[in-house]
Amino acid sequence: MESVEYKCPNCMADLKFNPASQKLECEFCLSAFTVEEIKKLCESTENSIPQEAVQMQEDFANHTHLYRCKSCGAEIMADDQQTATFCYYCHNPVILAGKMGGEFKPDKVIGFKLTRDNAIWNFKKWISKRWFVPKDFKSEQQLEKLTGLYVPFWVADCDINIDYHATGKKIRSWVSGDYRITETQEYDVVRRGSLTTRGIPADGETKIDDLLMESIEPYDYRELHDFSMSYLSGFYADKYDVDKASVFPRIRVRATQACASLVKDSVNGYSSVTPMVENYDIRRTNWSYMLLPVWFMSYKYKDKVYEFAINGQTGKLAGTPPLSKGRLWLACLGLGAAVAAACALIGGALF
């Protein structure tokens, strides 16, 4: 008898039947489905890859070089016209490791809109307000390490079933004669249905801090294009090392938070609302693998690496600058000396 294996509609991991719950369950993202639900969800699944897509994967594999850093393990992609010489994470040399596999070809890409000069100007403006950073942090040598980098992102559209039940209270109070009367009315507040959250991103690179990437959002998806090798010309790209199953927990949190916010915004006009049931169940997730533009720079100071990122489309910047305690102490000493001198002058004037 031929066995049938079903994939999780959310993270594409294998589903296993649980006799206790009588459901197909995913060990990775913890989703659960009845057999009937899975059969219905899988009816529209495509079992073949169009020949055009196969050809595009082959072109990507033939014209993309992979470089590997022996120091930190980072894997850097570049087109066959460009050579990677250093690792933008740890600044050590990288070596050519071979060609890329076609399965790493992105679906979509947003090209760089911010030039290198624009990115440097943004960074200089931002760092000019940070007085107590190490002196060489603002040097031209450090700015040379600013790298145009396409970061791999898994972007998810989630279909979510909503089951929300709460008790809403309307309270009014008035005075009648010598009495204050308070009236409390209780209502059942119910929201049931389905919502789709679109375009929730999660970066697929372990070496870049997730919060740093979230801090430079959002990207304007209206400028998405089908991936072409021409976008890599003059830039580098990361090879993803986190799969859909691994990033799905992050996606699930952001999707359910968005749904919860929409539902709660729809409940108004009550003095108080007490939720009794609040379920947001993701039934299907549609994925896109995208490369999104980032101007990236790292800086090592006293055995700690500081990362900075600029959205290559909008110019939004994020990062935590290093603190030079020496410069801070000098500033404090200078301020203390100035205060002491002022006090001495004031004291002399009084006497």
Side-chain angles (χ1 to χ4, degrees):
M1 174 181 274
E2 182 181 358
S3 63
V4 178
E5 292 184 356
Y6 290 109
K7 299 289 186 181
C8 175
N10 288 322
C11 72
M12 302 307 294
D14 290 333
L15 291 173
K16 294 182 179 180
F17 185 75
N18 185 339
S21 65
Q22 291 292 296
K23 289 184 177 181
L24 291 161
E25 298 180 352
C26 177
E27 295 178 348
F28 287 89
C29 70
L30 306 181
S31 299
F33 308 87
T34 65
V35 175
E36 290 72 22
E37 286 174 332
I38 283 296
K39 286 183 177 179
K40 186 175 181 180
L41 289 169
C42 292
E43 282 178 357
S44 59
T45 302
E46 295 182 1
N47 295 319
S48 62
I49 302 176
Q51 185 57 40
E52 181 181 355
V54 173
Q55 183 60 50
M56 291 179 67
Q57 286 188 353
E58 291 179 355
D59 290 343
F60 177 80
N62 291 332
H63 297 287
T64 310
H65 285 159
L66 177 67
Y67 296 85
R68 183 172 290 115
C69 175
K70 285 189 173 182
S71 178
C72 71
E75 293 182 308
I76 301 167
M77 296 189 298
D79 67 11
D80 53 8
Q81 303 299 313
Q82 185 168 352
T83 302
T85 57
F86 75 96
C87 174
Y88 31 77
Y89 294 115
C90 67
H91 305 158
N92 285 308
V94 294
I95 59 171
L96 181 63
K99 296 287 187 180
M100 281 297 303
E103 71 274 16
F104 289 96
K105 186 194 79 66
D107 305 313
K108 299 287 184 177
V109 62
I110 292 178
F112 275 86
K113 291 185 69 175
L114 204 69
T115 66
R116 180 180 178 81
D117 288 342
N118 295 147
I120 290 176
W121 185 87
N122 278 11
F123 185 80
K124 284 182 174 180
K125 181 180 178 182
W126 178 77
I127 204 62
S128 65
K129 301 174 183 178
R130 277 73 183 174
W131 295 349
F132 305 118
V133 297
K135 187 175 181 181
D136 66 336
F137 183 61
K138 300 181 180 182
S139 68
E140 291 300 321
Q141 184 180 4
Q142 176 62 26
L143 290 176
E144 287 177 2
K145 296 171 183 175
L146 189 67
T147 302
L149 174 66
Y150 283 107
V151 176
F153 277 84
W154 294 108
V155 179
D157 298 339
C158 300
D159 297 332
I160 304 173
N161 288 346
I162 298 167
D163 183 10
Y164 177 89
H165 189 182
T167 299
K169 291 183 179 181
K170 291 185 177 180
I171 301 173
R172 67 187 186 103
S173 181
W174 67 93
V175 176
S176 178
D178 294 333
Y179 298 94
R180 172 169 292 277
I181 301 171
T182 300
E183 177 188 77
T184 301
Q185 296 177 325
E186 290 192 357
Y187 298 84
D188 280 337
V189 181
V190 178
R191 299 288 186 270
R192 290 195 181 98
S194 60
L195 283 174
T196 299
T197 59
R198 299 192 181 279
I200 298 178
D203 68 276
E205 169 56 73
T206 56
K207 292 196 173 298
I208 298 182
D209 182 71
D210 297 335
L211 183 59
L212 180 66
M213 290 296 96
E214 291 180 12
S215 298
I216 63 171
E217 293 179 14
Y219 284 89
D220 186 352
Y221 293 142
R222 291 175 298 179
E223 297 183 351
L224 275 173
H225 299 280
D226 291 335
F227 177 77
S228 167
M229 287 298 299
S230 60
Y231 287 99
L232 283 183
S233 180
F235 298 97
Y236 299 105
D238 267 348
K239 169 179 169 287
Y240 74 79
D241 58 3
V242 182
D243 59 17
K244 293 190 285 287
S246 298
V247 303
F248 183 73
R250 292 159 53 196
I251 295 290
R252 177 170 51 202
V253 169
R254 299 186 73 178
T256 53
Q257 285 178 343
C259 276
S261 179
L262 286 171
V263 168
K264 289 175 182 177
D265 286 345
S266 74
V267 179
N268 48 56
Y270 300 99
S271 303
S272 66
V273 177
T274 304
M276 311 299 290
V277 176
E278 197 170 1
N279 293 326
Y280 304 99
D281 190 13
I282 300 178
R283 307 313 295 165
R284 181 196 288 270
T285 303
N286 295 316
W287 297 90
S288 292
Y289 171 41
M290 301 180 185
L291 293 183
L292 301 181
V294 176
W295 285 101
F296 181 84
M297 184 173 69
S298 63
Y299 175 78
K300 189 173 182 179
Y301 182 67
K302 294 188 175 180
D303 297 325
K304 182 178 179 181
V305 176
Y306 296 82
E307 295 180 346
F308 305 87
I310 305 173
N311 186 313
Q313 182 190 40
T314 67
K316 188 176 180 182
L317 189 151
T320 302
L323 175 66
S324 172
K325 293 182 179 179
R327 301 192 77 178
L328 178 60
W329 275 109
L330 285 174
C332 291
L333 288 172
L335 180 61
V339 170
C343 290
L345 288 173
I346 294 172
L350 291 175
F351 294 101

